[in-house]
Amino acid sequence: MNQQILFAKAIADETRQKIMQILCCSWLSVNDIVDKLGNNVSQPTVSHHLKILNDAGLLQRRKEGKQVYNSLNQEQVSVCCGQLLVKFAPELVANDKVLVEN
Amino acid sequence: MNQQILFAKAIADETRQKIMQILCCSWLSVNDIVDKLGNNVSQPTVSHHLKILNDAGLLQRRKEGKQVYNSLNQEQVSVCCGQLLVKFAPELVANDKVLVEN
DNA sequence: CATACGTATAGAAGTTTATCTATATGTTCC
DNA sequence: GGAACATATAGATAAACTTCTATACGTATG
């Protein structure tokens, strides 16, 4: 599957977007994520979602002892959004009308 | 469903991405799109995808006589990508490291 | 006004996806 | 090496999604 679709599918789920937000600016183990999600989601489910995010290149992962620490790869988010903009908003990109506002 | 998820789901399908690209810089009727897709997809299927894209705010639609003309709403793509960047690449956004390159 | 044409909707079939429980795998520490 | 723990995988189930065919709806035109 191509990268655009892989990225889109990865972010097209509420639980995964929650996980992405949790991992946005911190490094957490799988069980940390389960806890942060408020025990509404099982550990295998989180594991499964992490795999999908990782396959889309959206995670940084680091094994440390028994635990695997995860963090969101903001760079990849940025690259993918950039590609989407070039592909689907080319006129705005060409005219520098693409703004990212907080 | 919230806007981020609606957008992500809308773009998370290959046929819809093809339709989006076809409609990116032109106005086409439903049957025009069917033709451009090379008859691999039926008219009802295209109709269905257009509804999903429209529900996500990604289309501009104009009825003219018997036909309904469609075009991609690049502005909405831009807004949604911007929101994704703010949400999932905040550190890059804060440091103006988000570039959109052709 | 009836027919033709463009689009939308209904319903069904097959596939993918999200989630769970149970269990396997791998690592640390006694 | 064995117990405890963290994560991954397997298998099952239910829901969602993509696509099709058949058909309904709505508008323009002879």
Side-chain angles (χ1 to χ4, degrees):
Chain A
M1 206 174 339
N2 88 49
Q3 183 56 36
Q4 314 280 348
I5 302 286
L6 216 57
F7 172 69
K9 280 184 192 263
I11 65 172
D13 178 84
E14 197 173 345
T15 303
R16 278 197 294 277
Q17 284 209 9
K18 277 187 198 157
I19 292 175
M20 288 172 73
Q21 209 150 24
I22 289 172
L23 294 180
C24 187
C25 301
S26 54
W27 287 85
L28 295 174
S29 74
V30 177
N31 277 328
D32 289 344
I33 299 165
V34 174
D35 292 347
K36 285 245 181 190
L37 285 170
N39 291 22
N40 299 312
V41 184
S42 72
Q43 174 270 313
T45 296
V46 171
S47 226
H48 169 245
H49 286 309
L50 289 174
K51 177 165 170 41
I52 289 169
L53 292 172
N54 194 50
D55 288 350
L58 287 168
L59 292 188
Q60 300 173 272
R61 311 198 81 184
R62 187 168 71 212
K63 203 164 187 174
E64 225 167 86
K66 280 182 286 195
Q67 339 228 17
V68 177
Y69 287 94
N70 304 267
S71 183
L72 186 64
N73 184 351
Q74 297 188 31
E75 186 65 41
Q76 176 76 352
V77 173
S78 169
V79 167
C80 288
C81 285
Q83 290 172 349
L84 286 177
L85 286 166
V86 168
K87 203 167 176 187
F88 300 124
E91 292 171 349
L92 302 187
V93 169
N95 296 327
D96 283 327
K97 287 197 176 151
V98 174
L99 287 184
V100 179
E101 287 165 3
N102 274 296
Chain B
M1 205 171 345
N2 89 48
Q3 183 57 37
Q4 315 278 348
I5 302 285
L6 217 57
F7 172 68
K9 279 184 193 263
I11 65 172
D13 177 84
E14 197 173 344
T15 303
R16 279 198 293 277
Q17 284 208 10
K18 279 186 198 159
I19 292 174
M20 287 173 73
Q21 209 150 25
I22 288 172
L23 294 180
C24 186
C25 300
S26 54
W27 287 84
L28 295 175
S29 74
V30 177
N31 276 330
D32 289 342
I33 298 166
V34 174
D35 292 346
K36 285 244 182 192
L37 285 171
N39 291 22
N40 299 312
V41 186
S42 72
Q43 174 270 314
T45 296
V46 171
S47 226
H48 170 246
H49 286 310
L50 288 173
K51 176 164 169 42
I52 289 171
L53 292 172
N54 194 50
D55 287 349
L58 288 168
L59 293 187
Q60 301 174 271
R61 311 198 81 184
R62 186 168 71 212
K63 202 165 187 176
E64 225 166 85
K66 280 182 284 194
Q67 338 228 15
V68 178
Y69 287 94
N70 303 267
S71 183
L72 186 63
N73 184 349
Q74 297 188 31
E75 186 66 40
Q76 176 76 352
V77 172
S78 168
V79 168
C80 288
C81 284
Q83 290 173 349
L84 286 176
L85 286 167
V86 168
K87 203 167 176 186
F88 300 123
E91 292 171 349
L92 302 187
V93 169
N95 295 329
D96 283 326
K97 289 197 176 152
V98 174
L99 286 184
V100 179
E101 288 166 2
N102 273 295

